[in-house]
Amino acid sequence: MVAGGAVGELYVSAARLGDTGALVLADALERAPYGRLARLSVASNGIGPRATARLVTAATAAGVTLLDLGRVKAAGVLGAADNRVDLAAADTIAQALAGAQHRLAHLVLTHTGMRSREAHRLLDTAPQAVTATRFVLGRGIAASVKRRLDALSAHIPPPVVRRTWRPYAACTGRRPRRSSAPPRRPGHYAPASVRPPRVPPSGPCVPPASRRTSGPPRPARS
């Protein structure tokens, strides 16, 4: 699908791609029509440094605008391993972004094991890049390095990273209960301050199969 340009966005986070899956995806990106795939999320897939570097290089050459290599919130529950970026991978990524004009405006690198040393590789080449990239970096990186990278991409708005879709929330307009809400007791009604607010559905949705949508009316309860 990717090589044929059949998709514009691809979200395969926590899918246990590993190096093998990442390299297959990179190969497809190298054959894909330029700019057809705009957003790619491969967070929490246990991809090693070399495969990560090749994937970023392929995504840059394919015209991807957002690439998410970070971590999904449920990674611990799912047993999903983090992607990794070492010094050599950071150097390859930096060279790919500075080598030519591209569309990669957002690159999420949180929870990839990067430290200030790896981030400095990005900072060394970022001023010479024809196209700026906004990096999303995690902990363990000096604040001064982050500030200097942010200053080079200040004109680019922050990314909107979408990793999961909750069909129940989209259909019912309900949000998950807040963790700070006290447990409900029989006959207890939570005050409005701790009840999750209702939000309108964001678009058309198909009601779950368990929801009663047709058939004869139910008899009234006595």
Side-chain angles (χ1 to χ4, degrees):
M1 291 191 301
V2 174
V7 292
E9 298 183 358
L10 184 60
Y11 302 91
V12 285
S13 299
R16 301 187 180 184
L17 293 179
D19 288 359
T20 302
L23 293 176
V24 170
L25 184 55
D27 180 68
L29 284 168
E30 291 170 353
R31 294 180 285 115
Y34 184 79
R36 182 63 187 92
L37 182 64
R39 300 169 66 92
L40 174 61
S41 178
V42 290
S44 300
N45 269 298
I47 305 173
R50 295 183 65 182
T52 296
R54 185 183 170 191
L55 185 58
V56 175
T57 302
T60 304
V64 174
T65 60
L66 184 148
L67 177 57
D68 180 12
L69 291 161
R71 175 194 291 173
V72 296
K73 292 183 178 180
V77 177
L78 298 173
D82 291 336
N83 303 319
R84 309 300 295 175
V85 174
D86 60 9
L87 191 61
D91 186 63
T92 302
I93 293 171
Q95 296 298 328
L97 294 176
Q101 189 172 2
H102 57 81
R103 296 184 180 181
L104 191 58
H106 300 102
L107 180 57
V108 182
L109 295 169
T110 55
H111 302 287
T112 57
M114 287 187 62
R115 295 294 183 264
S116 296
R117 185 175 62 166
E118 289 79 17
H120 262 291
R121 296 295 178 137
L122 304 178
L123 183 59
D124 290 341
T125 59
Q128 290 79 39
V130 179
T131 308
T133 298
R134 181 158 188 159
F135 299 98
V136 182
L137 304 175
R139 298 178 179 178
I141 298 175
S144 60
V145 176
K146 291 183 178 180
R147 284 196 302 267
R148 292 168 67 185
L149 284 171
D150 289 343
L152 295 171
S153 59
H155 59 286
I156 302 176
V160 178
V161 181
R162 185 179 69 188
R163 292 170 178 155
T164 57
W165 180 64
R166 297 180 176 86
Y168 180 76
C171 292
T172 63
R174 298 176 182 176
R175 293 178 179 173
R177 182 174 298 278
R178 298 176 183 175
S179 58
S180 59
R184 297 186 63 176
R185 302 185 300 274
H188 171 74
Y189 186 73
S193 60
V194 297
R195 291 201 306 271
R198 294 179 64 87
V199 295
S202 58
C205 78
V206 179
S210 60
R211 186 180 299 174
R212 190 181 182 90
T213 59
S214 62
R218 295 177 178 175
R221 295 182 178 178
S222 57

